[in-house]
Amino acid sequence: ELKVEQNPLFLSMQEGKNYTIYCNYSTTSDRLYWYRQDPGKSLESLFVLLSNGAVKQEGRLMASLDTKARLSTLHITAAVHDLSATYFCAVGFGNEKLTFGTGTRLTIIP
Amino acid sequence: DTAVSQTPKYLVTQMGNDKSIKCEQNLGHDTMYWYKQDSKKFLKIMFSYNNKELIINETVPNRFSPKSPDKAHLNLHINSLELGDSAVYFCASSQDSGVSPLHFGNGTRLTVT
């Protein structure tokens, strides 16, 4: 069974700093997603990564995928307060269901 | 012009009752899902339908019954509610059951007392 682990689970960081969230998964995958969830809100799709070495960037967020290491990273550059949210990775293979990671609750402190 | 809409947003009910949550998507997607998010924010798929046909049915108590009258709607009916059913239930849709990302509804917070 596919297992998806994220770390850290909680992250408190100062504005202006850089940090990385890690997503490890246990078996072969052909797609990986990053989602954002604000408190009490829905999940919003951020990135879809489909191949080894894929890198996607949007604003201060950059996601990458290493399928050989079964690892994706979400890098935050020069954090700002409105990036505070819970970030989830989700992994799938073929027509199998998506498996979500545990989520990383990110708090940006002024 | 909400893409995936769920009703109700909040649902408070007593143990033993039966309740339904409705979901509609206007994106023209073929696949719809129900996910459960527990108090620790862990998300787990419950059901998936593709064009009105059930394709994923996870290990969910048979008190939970999804119904898809057409590909734009996927409702969730829950019989004999239990305390452990308290959670946020998210409906989602995707263009296909493969690569396209999921579009989530705003969730229904179910509280069973």
Side-chain angles (χ1 to χ4, degrees), chain A residues 31 33 35 37 42 88 97, chain B residues 37 58 98-99 102 104-105:
Chain A
R31 60 194 195 280
Y33 307 82
Y35 288 88
Q37 185 179 32
S42 183
F88 291 92
K97 63 180 182 180
Chain B
Q37 187 172 44
E58 285 295 289
V99 171
L102 302 179
F104 284 86

Side-chain angles (χ1 to χ4, degrees), chain B residues 28-78:
Chain B
H29 288 169
D30 289 330
T31 308
M32 295 185 73
Y33 310 80
W34 279 109
Y35 280 82
K36 179 179 179 180
Q37 187 172 44
D38 63 22
S39 58
K40 294 183 179 177
K41 302 293 186 192
F42 186 65
L43 266 164
K44 193 169 161 67
I45 191 167
M46 301 172 70
F47 302 103
S48 170
Y49 270 73
N50 182 271
N51 225 345
K52 302 195 296 176
E53 285 194 32
L54 181 66
I55 56 173
I56 292 176
N57 184 353
E58 285 295 289
T59 311
V60 175
N62 59 14
R63 298 182 293 104
F64 290 79
S65 53
K67 282 191 174 43
S68 182
D70 55 61
K71 76 172 194 176
H73 295 84
L74 180 61
N75 304 322
L76 183 65
H77 188 75
I78 316 168

